[in-house]
Amino acid sequence: MHIVGAIKRIIETVVVLFILCIATLNIFSSPTGQGLFGYKGYTVISASMEPTLQVGDYIIIKNVPYKQIKNQDIISFLDSGMIVTHRVVAKEDESASTRGDNNSVNDVKTVTKSNYVGTYLFRIPHLGYVLIWLQKPIVLATVMGLIVLRMLKLIFFKK
C-alpha cells in the first residue's frame, strides 16, 4: 500500500509541475517577446490548419531565426494583431508566402522578419480547450485554491 501512495504523490507532482510549466510558458509568450528560453505556446482557435492542427490544440513554437525558414515549415506570425500559424508555401529572401493547410488560397499578406513570431515544433492535442476553460475566473480561483490546499497538506500532514 505504501507504493501506491508514493506513485500517487509522484503523479500529482508531475501534474502540478506540468501546469506550472505551461502557465510560465504562457506568461512569456508575448508575440514580440523572446519567450521562455526561446519557446512560446499558443492555443489553436481556427480550423485553417486542419488536419495538421486542430482547434483546441496547444502548439509550441521556437524562436528560430527568420533566415532559417524554408518551404513547408509551419510558422506563427502577427497579422492585424492576431497570431496566425500557417505553412510556408514560397520563401523569398525578404518575405514568405503562407497558406493554411485547410485553405485553398495563399494568405493576402506575406510574412517578413518584422511580423514573424516563430516556427512550429509540436502540439499537445486538446490542451488549448483546458487553458481557455481555466481563464474563467471561478475556475481559475478553484484550481488555485486546490493547489494551495494540496501544498498545505504536503507541508503540514507529512506521513
Side-chain angles (χ1 to χ4, degrees):
M1 197 65 171
H2 181 51
I3 292 175
V4 173
I7 291 172
K8 180 181 172 192
R9 282 192 300 278
I10 290 170
I11 291 171
E12 289 170 347
T13 301
V14 168
V15 168
V16 168
L17 287 175
F18 178 76
I19 291 169
L20 288 174
C21 286
I22 294 297
T24 303
L25 182 63
N26 280 338
I27 290 168
F28 289 97
S29 289
S30 163
T32 56
Q34 293 299 310
L36 182 63
F37 305 111
Y39 296 91
K40 298 177 184 179
Y42 301 107
T43 298
V44 176
I45 59 170
S46 158
S48 67
M49 280 299 291
E50 288 184 352
T52 307
L53 303 174
Q54 305 287 321
V55 172
D57 286 351
Y58 186 77
I59 60 170
I60 305 297
I61 65 169
K62 183 165 176 40
N63 189 9
V64 174
Y66 180 78
K67 290 185 184 253
Q68 293 180 10
I69 296 171
K70 55 190 179 305
N71 285 343
Q72 300 304 311
D73 281 352
I74 298 174
I75 63 171
S76 293
F77 54 93
L78 279 171
D79 183 10
S80 302
M82 297 281 296
I83 295 174
V84 178
T85 302
H86 281 169
R87 189 176 303 276
V88 175
V89 293
K91 174 70 165 62
E92 306 287 327
D93 286 339
E94 301 298 320
S95 66
S97 295
T98 56
R99 177 176 53 224
D101 289 356
N102 199 25
N103 296 345
S104 57
V105 296
N106 291 356
D107 298 330
V108 175
K109 295 182 182 177
T110 58
V111 179
T112 63
K113 185 177 181 178
S114 65
N115 67 333
Y116 166 72
V117 176
T119 300
Y120 166 81
L121 290 179
F122 65 93
R123 70 186 181 104
I124 304 171
H126 311 297
L127 180 61
Y129 286 128
V130 174
L131 296 175
I132 290 170
W133 180 68
L134 283 171
Q135 290 178 2
K136 295 178 182 180
I138 190 70
V139 174
L140 181 60
T142 302
V143 169
M144 295 307 290
L146 290 171
I147 290 172
V148 168
L149 287 174
R150 176 68 180 144
M151 291 171 63
L152 290 173
K153 179 181 173 192
L154 289 172
I155 293 169
F156 294 112
F157 299 104
K158 293 180 183 179
K159 289 186 178 183

